[in-house]
Amino acid sequence: TTVHRHFESWSSAAQKYIDILEKDMIEGQLLRLDRRFYKCIDYDKLPKVPEDLGEFLNVDDYKSNYTLSGGFKNVFHHARGSAKVSQEQSTYMNRDGHKLYLRLQHRIDRLKSVCDM
């Protein structure tokens, strides 16, 4: 079966993420928390996750030798079909997308620095 999720267009979604990140909502919250209360995951490095993530989330089962980090490696698939870019995405990316991408990447890099990534 297919589930149609009706995601927003890149332009709408990117601008919302930028608005949230530029207001320093997430960054400010992370800076106020003790590092023992959260873990950051670099999605670009999946399926690699911190070895102690499962212990942190209390999901590792040492009786069965299951660890979350091992589970990620077992179920993560690198094979992806080539993504088709819609006409709107193509037009938008060619016109203004690069500027949005740079703004978004700058904010993500700031979050990564808060997370020591």
Side-chain angles (χ1 to χ4, degrees), residues 26-38:
I26 298 170
E27 183 179 344
Q29 290 173 359
L30 290 175
L31 288 170
R32 287 181 186 92
L33 290 172
D34 186 314
R35 281 294 307 226
R36 294 175 293 171
F37 291 101
Y38 68 92

Side-chain angles (χ1 to χ4, degrees), residues 30 35 38-41 110-117:
L30 290 175
R35 281 294 307 226
Y38 68 92
K39 290 235 178 250
C40 299
I41 298 172
R110 283 185 56 152
L111 280 178
K112 285 183 174 184
S113 71
V114 169
C115 292
D116 298 323
M117 294 167 50

Side-chain angles (χ1 to χ4, degrees), residues 85-98:
V85 177
S86 71
Q87 183 61 39
E88 179 202 7
Q89 288 170 318
S90 177
T91 301
Y92 185 80
M93 289 301 293
N94 291 334
R95 188 180 57 221
D96 296 318
H98 188 68

